[in-house]
C-alpha cells in the first residue's frame, strides 16, 4: 500500500510540474470571463452538485468527446473534479491533445463549495435519477437544472392512441413528472398496429389504464393521472387547467376546436398533430406569444366528415403516428425547458412515402373566428354547436 501511495503522490507531483493550476476564486473569475469549466467527475457524482454553467464530461470519455464539444484548440479550459487530482490528469490529457490554454482547479469541487461559490444541486436527482437521466444531464443545455424542470412539469395528453402512445412513452422516459391522460376509448386489437403503449394482453381495458401500466413499467418515478372520459364543453377547462403543455392526440375536429378554445382562454401552449394515410403534420399554438396563430387560423371551420375521414375510415401506415407523436413530444420538452425554436407559426409536414419533410409558414389571421381581437373569449358550447352543424 505504501508503494502504491508513494507512486500516486509522485505522479501528482509530476503532473503539477507541467499542468497549470488555478485556485477556485481565480477559476470562477476566468469562467465569468469566458473560460469553459469542465466537471470531469462521473455522472452520479455531479448529480449531488456541480459549479453553475460547468460542462459535465466524465473523465473516462473526455478524450473521445472533447473535439466535438470544443473544436477550438485555443479555447481556455478549466478542469475540475472532486479534490483536484483527476482534473490534473484530465488537463494533462487535453494538453497532450493540442489544447494549449488548459488549467486544473486546485482542491476541486470540495474546495469550490467550501469557499461558497455558486453551484447547482437537485435533490430530485437521487442515485436512481442520476443513472436514469444521465444522458440528459450530460447535455450542457439541459443538465441537472433542466432535468429538475422536466420532473416538475405537468403535460396533458388528449388521446392515448396513435399519437398519444409514442408521445407519452418518450415523455415518461424523459422524466416529465406528471402526465395527465384523457381518453374514453378501450383498447382494441386493431389499435396495436400503431398504438404502441398498449399490449395484446390489455385488449378491453380503458386506454388510460393500459397506458398507465405501460408507462409506469418504463418509468415508475412519474405520476400518471387518468381520465377515462371524452373531452367536452362542460369539462374541457377543468381537464386542461394547470398544464404546462397540452398535446393533441385526438382524431376529430370537435375535440381540437375545444382544445384550441380552452388553451386560448387559459393561455396554455399546445402541440397539434395529425396523420392521414401516409402523411402527417405538427405545429405549436401558443397564446402566450402575440404572434402565434391559433388552430382556427389554419382551419377556420370544420370540414365535413367526408373531407376529413379518421384512421378507422381511411387507414394509416402504422409507423407514421410514431414519427408525428415523437415530434410532438420533442416540441413539448422544448416548451418545458425553453430550448430551441418551437414550431410556432410553422406547420411541419411529413410525407412518409417520399421520405420528405417540408415546412409551411402559418401567419395569424386577423379575421380568425378563434383568435381575432374582436372575438374575445370563445364559449365552449358554441364550439360544440359549430362542430355539430352539418
Amino acid at each position: 500500500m505504501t508503494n502504491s501511495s508513494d507512486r500516486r503522490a509522485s505522479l501528482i507531483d509530476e503532473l503539477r510540474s507541467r499542468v497549470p493550476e488555478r485556485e477556485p476564486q481565480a477559476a470562477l473569475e476566468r469562467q465569468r470571463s469566458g473560460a469553459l469549466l469542465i466537471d470531469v467527475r462521473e455522472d452520479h457524482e455531479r448529480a449531488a452538485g456541480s459549479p453553475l454553467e460547468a460542462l459535465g464530461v466524465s473523465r473516462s470519455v473526455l478524450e473521445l468527446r472533447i473535439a466535438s464539444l470544443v473544436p477550438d484548440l485555443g479555447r481556455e479550459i478549466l478542469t475540475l473534479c472532486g479534490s483536484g487530482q483527476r482534473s490534473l490528469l484530465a488537463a494533462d490529457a487535453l494538453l497532450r491533445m493540442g489544447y494549449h490554454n488548459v488549467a486544473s482547479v486546485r482542491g476541486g469541487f470540495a474546495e469550490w463549495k467550501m469557499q461558497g461559490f455558486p453551484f447547482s444541486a437537485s435533490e430530485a436527482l437521487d442515485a436512481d435519477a442520476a443513472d436514469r437521466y444521465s444522458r440528459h444531464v450530460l447535455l450542457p443545455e439541459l443538465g441537472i437544472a433542466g432535468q429538475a424542470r422536466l420532473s416538475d412539469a405537468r403535460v396533458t395528453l388528449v388521446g392515448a392512441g396513435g399519437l398519444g402512445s409514442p408521445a407519452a412513452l418518450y415523455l415518461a422516459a424523459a422524466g416529465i413528472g406528471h402526465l395527465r391522460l384523457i381518453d374514453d376509448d378501450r383498447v382494441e386489437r386493431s389499435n396495436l398496429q400503431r398504438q404502441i403503449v398498449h399490449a395484446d394482453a390489455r385488449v378491453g381495458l380503458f386506454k388510460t389504464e393500459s397506458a398507465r401500466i405501460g408507462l409506469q413499467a418504463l418509468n415508475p418515478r412519474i405520476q400518471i393521472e387518468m381520465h377515462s372520459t371524452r373531452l367536452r364543453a362542460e369539462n374541457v377547462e377543468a381537464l386542461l387547467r394547470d398544464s404546462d403543455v397540452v398535446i393533441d392526440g385526438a382524431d376529430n375536429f370537435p375535440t381540437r376546436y375545444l382544445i384550441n378554445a380552452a388553451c386560448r382562454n387559459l393561455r396554455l401552449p399546445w402541440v397539434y398533430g395529425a396523420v392521414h394515410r401516409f402523411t402527417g403534420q405538427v405545429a405549436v399554438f401558443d397564446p402566450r406569444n402575440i404572434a402565434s396563430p391559433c388552430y382556427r387560423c389554419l382551419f377556420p371551420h370544420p370540414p365535413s366528415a367526408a373531407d376529413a375521414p379518421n384512421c378507422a375510415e381511411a387507414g394509416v401506415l402504422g409507423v407514421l403516428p410514431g414519427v408525428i407523436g415523437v415530434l410532438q413530444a420533442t416540441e413539448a420538452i422544448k416548451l418545458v425547458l425553453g430550448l430551441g425554436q418551437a414550431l410556432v407559426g410553422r406547420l411541419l409536414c411529413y410525407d412518409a412515402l417520399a421520405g420528405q419533410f417540408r415546412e409551411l409558414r402559418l401567419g395569424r389571421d386577423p379575421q380568425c373566428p378563434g383568435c381575432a381581437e374582436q372575438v374575445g373569449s370563445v364559449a365552449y358550447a358554441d364550439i360544440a354547436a359549430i362542430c355539430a352543424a352539418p
Side-chain angles (χ1 to χ4, degrees):
M1 291 291 294
T2 303
N3 289 339
S4 175
S5 299
D6 289 344
R7 286 196 298 270
R8 183 176 183 84
S10 177
L11 173 61
I12 296 301
D13 289 341
E14 180 185 344
L15 287 170
R16 283 186 169 137
S17 70
R18 62 175 182 261
V19 175
E21 288 187 284
R22 299 278 184 269
E23 295 296 333
Q25 176 69 53
L28 178 61
E29 292 171 0
R30 296 309 306 154
Q31 184 192 27
R32 288 173 173 170
S33 297
L36 177 64
L37 179 60
I38 300 181
D39 189 336
V40 300
R41 294 174 298 155
E42 297 301 314
D43 298 345
H44 67 278
E45 295 176 280
R46 293 196 302 273
S50 185
L52 282 182
E53 300 182 5
L55 176 64
V57 185
S58 300
R59 171 70 189 92
S60 57
V61 298
L62 181 64
E63 288 93 331
L64 295 175
R65 297 193 60 207
I66 191 64
S68 60
L69 295 170
V70 188
D72 181 6
L73 294 176
R75 175 77 187 273
E76 184 177 1
I77 298 174
L78 302 166
T79 59
L80 174 141
C81 65
S83 64
Q85 296 188 0
R86 274 177 293 171
S87 58
L88 282 168
L89 291 165
D92 185 58
L94 295 179
L95 288 167
R96 292 174 184 274
M97 292 178 68
Y99 292 89
H100 49 81
N101 194 2
V102 182
S104 171
V105 179
R106 190 186 298 274
F109 186 58
E111 187 66 23
W112 184 281
K113 285 199 301 181
M114 187 177 298
Q115 295 192 24
F117 297 140
F119 69 95
S120 62
S122 172
E123 289 77 12
L125 286 185
D126 53 26
D128 176 90
D131 189 21
R132 185 181 299 272
Y133 307 124
S134 62
R135 300 308 187 268
H136 270 178
V137 173
L138 287 172
L139 295 169
E141 298 87 350
L142 203 155
I144 295 172
Q147 191 60 52
R149 285 197 295 275
L150 294 178
S151 180
D152 290 339
R154 304 173 69 91
V155 175
T156 295
L157 295 105
V158 181
L163 296 174
S165 287
L169 282 167
Y170 270 97
L171 292 173
I176 293 292
H178 190 110
L179 293 179
R180 178 181 296 152
L181 308 178
I182 305 170
D183 198 310
D184 68 335
D185 284 343
R186 294 180 181 269
V187 179
E188 300 177 3
R189 193 158 280 110
S190 62
N191 300 148
L192 303 180
Q193 162 249 19
R194 64 200 178 281
Q195 299 182 19
I196 58 174
V197 76
H198 307 302
D200 190 78
R202 300 199 291 272
V203 168
L205 289 183
F206 276 112
K207 287 184 178 178
T208 51
E209 173 62 16
S210 172
R212 182 195 66 78
I213 294 170
L215 295 172
Q216 292 204 311
L218 174 65
N219 189 350
R221 299 180 63 92
I222 65 172
Q223 296 180 356
I224 298 176
E225 177 185 341
M226 299 178 295
H227 295 273
S228 299
T229 185
R230 182 173 291 272
L231 204 68
R232 301 181 188 280
E234 59 269 22
N235 65 12
V236 61
E237 273 206 11
L239 289 175
L240 301 190
R241 192 185 304 276
D242 75 16
S243 304
D244 292 300
V245 183
V246 175
I247 291 184
D248 159 39
D251 63 355
N252 62 85
F253 278 85
T255 300
R256 290 191 181 117
Y257 273 40
L258 280 175
I259 294 172
N260 186 69
C263 285
R264 179 169 180 259
N265 291 342
L266 297 171
R267 296 184 60 77
L268 303 176
W270 68 285
V271 187
Y272 157 69
V275 294
H276 177 69
R277 291 172 57 81
F278 301 100
T279 62
Q281 50 191 220
V282 186
V284 172
F285 302 110
D286 190 349
R288 303 170 304 175
N289 184 337
I290 194 170
S292 173
C294 81
Y295 181 67
R296 294 187 71 180
C297 293
L298 179 61
F299 296 106
H301 304 285
S304 67
D307 293 332
N310 60 29
C311 294
E313 299 164 329
V316 62
L317 183 66
V319 297
L320 179 64
V323 175
I324 302 303
V326 168
L327 288 171
Q328 288 182 281
T330 303
E331 291 301 307
I333 289 171
K334 286 162 56 182
L335 287 167
V336 169
L337 294 174
L339 285 179
Q341 184 178 1
L343 282 171
V344 174
R346 298 182 290 153
L347 182 69
L348 185 63
C349 304
Y350 175 61
D351 184 331
L353 292 184
Q356 291 181 340
F357 284 93
R358 62 191 180 105
E359 184 181 291
L360 304 178
R361 288 287 172 181
L362 290 179
R364 187 167 183 178
D365 181 359
Q367 302 303 317
C368 172
C371 69
E373 287 186 15
Q374 66 271 22
V375 171
S377 180
V378 178
Y380 304 124
D382 293 344
I383 293 291
I386 292 169
C387 293

